[in-house]
Amino acid sequence: MRYTVFFIFLACFKSHAVDCATETSLKVGIGSSWPPFVMYGTRPYGLDVEITEAVFKHAGYCIEFVQLPSSARGITELEKGLIDILPSASFSVERAKIAYFSIPYRRERMRLFTNKEIEPNSNLVELFSAGYTFTSNPGAYYGEEVKQIKKIDWYDKRLFEISSLDRRIEMVAKNRVDFLIEDEDAGYYYINKLGYGSIQVHPYIVNDNAIHFMLGRHAFERTDIERINEAITSLLGVITRISEKYRKDSG
């Protein structure tokens, strides 16, 4: 099988006597650019990239980042055993059938970003029922409310899934859709750094949940999960400082 659409960025570490020059590296799947979590220059960087590097270095693993075309592809590649780790993962029962989950390493709040004046007390179902249109990231988890909404055909037709955040937020800025459902930090990054000053955050919180590493069952044993969890616990202060750095840069 060929992987011509993938780009691999090596990030090997020496920890606990692991020699990454000879040790096989675990593949970490990351999707398209998603500031401030994943961005691309000569190599990947961003909040989740730095946290992933810190945690797996501390736990004593060698890793390499593999750029994938979308979040949805990451789940597929992990299930097939072609990817070993997915950061930025929300827990669901369906996902737990194909992978282990680490303890949480940060939280994620999904919000509604809009270019329109909207009744602030409206909830998500009311907005869908009113005929508004939405855009979101394919393969991302937005909570049970969105999951149930997508089961209703009339609602689902009003939700346009696009893998590029650049394109999603541009659609809102140009009034091609009414709402972007997006992580709070990512949305604020675009508002504050890329000049989308007309876009506002609706008060409604779509979902607030913990974020984990998904760990392929083909690559990890229970003892490995314990090591990774211990690394996360030991690095909580470091993770907080990384998160604050990127939030400050986005403000």
Side-chain angles (χ1 to χ4, degrees), residues 165-183:
L165 178 53
D166 285 35
R167 286 185 58 203
R168 294 198 302 272
I169 202 161
E170 183 181 16
M171 288 177 70
V172 174
K174 293 183 177 180
N175 296 313
R176 292 174 182 167
V177 296
D178 300 307
F179 287 97
L180 164 68
I181 308 176
E182 186 54 64
D183 174 85

Side-chain angles (χ1 to χ4, degrees), residues 4-249:
T4 54
V5 298
F6 299 167
F7 298 91
I8 297 178
F9 305 85
L10 199 60
C12 288
F13 305 111
K14 289 187 178 180
S15 180
H16 299 288
V18 176
D19 183 0
C20 289
T22 59
E23 190 78 11
T24 300
S25 295
L26 295 166
K27 293 181 172 60
V28 181
I30 50 177
S32 56
S33 182
W34 186 34
F37 303 104
V38 176
M39 294 172 277
Y40 293 96
T42 55
R43 65 182 304 277
Y45 67 102
L47 192 155
D48 273 335
V49 172
E50 283 197 31
I51 292 174
T52 302
E53 289 175 335
V55 167
F56 285 89
K57 176 181 180 181
H58 190 89
Y61 296 94
C62 304
I63 63 171
E64 56 184 337
F65 291 100
V66 180
Q67 184 180 357
L68 302 170
S70 68
S71 300
R73 177 65 69 86
I75 300 293
T76 301
E77 299 299 315
L78 187 74
E79 187 171 14
K80 291 179 179 178
L82 302 175
I83 293 295
D84 304 309
I85 303 162
L86 288 177
S88 313
S90 301
F91 178 86
S92 71
V93 173
E94 292 83 1
R95 292 178 175 185
K97 293 176 182 177
I98 66 171
Y100 298 116
F101 278 77
S102 73
I103 61 173
Y105 67 87
R106 65 174 176 86
R107 294 198 67 82
E108 175 181 81
R109 295 212 310 173
M110 291 294 177
R111 304 292 299 275
L112 295 168
F113 294 86
T114 183
N115 204 29
K116 301 179 182 298
E117 291 293 331
I118 304 292
E119 169 57 47
N121 295 323
S122 301
N123 63 36
L124 194 60
V125 171
E126 289 171 340
L127 293 171
F128 269 93
S129 299
Y132 290 110
T133 53
F134 299 76
T135 183
S136 66
N137 183 20
Y141 180 72
Y142 293 97
E144 286 301 311
E145 187 175 17
V146 173
K147 182 179 177 180
Q148 295 304 316
I149 283 172
K150 284 176 59 61
K151 293 180 179 179
I152 301 171
D153 187 60
W154 191 82
Y155 289 168
D156 190 45
K157 288 179 179 178
R158 310 193 73 77
L159 178 61
F160 302 94
E161 295 185 325
I162 298 171
S163 59
S164 168
L165 178 53
D166 285 35
R167 286 185 58 203
R168 294 198 302 272
I169 202 161
E170 183 181 16
M171 288 177 70
V172 174
K174 293 183 177 180
N175 296 313
R176 292 174 182 167
V177 296
D178 300 307
F179 287 97
L180 164 68
I181 308 176
E182 186 54 64
D183 174 85
E184 186 174 73
D185 288 330
Y188 278 127
Y189 178 91
Y190 273 85
I191 288 172
N192 295 326
K193 300 294 270 189
L194 301 182
Y196 290 111
S198 64
I199 296 179
Q200 304 298 315
V201 183
H202 190 276
Y204 189 72
I205 297 174
V206 176
N207 194 48
D208 185 343
N209 66 288
I211 294 299
H212 314 253
F213 294 106
M214 282 183 72
L215 305 164
R217 293 177 182 271
H218 62 279
F220 295 95
E221 303 289 341
R222 288 291 182 181
T223 53
D224 297 310
I225 311 304
E226 292 173 3
R227 284 173 60 186
I228 293 164
N229 287 343
E230 288 172 1
I232 293 171
T233 300
S234 299
L235 294 174
L236 288 178
V238 173
I239 291 171
T240 297
R241 288 193 292 274
I242 292 171
S243 300
E244 288 175 348
K245 178 183 71 173
Y246 280 96
R247 286 171 186 152
K248 180 180 179 181
D249 288 347

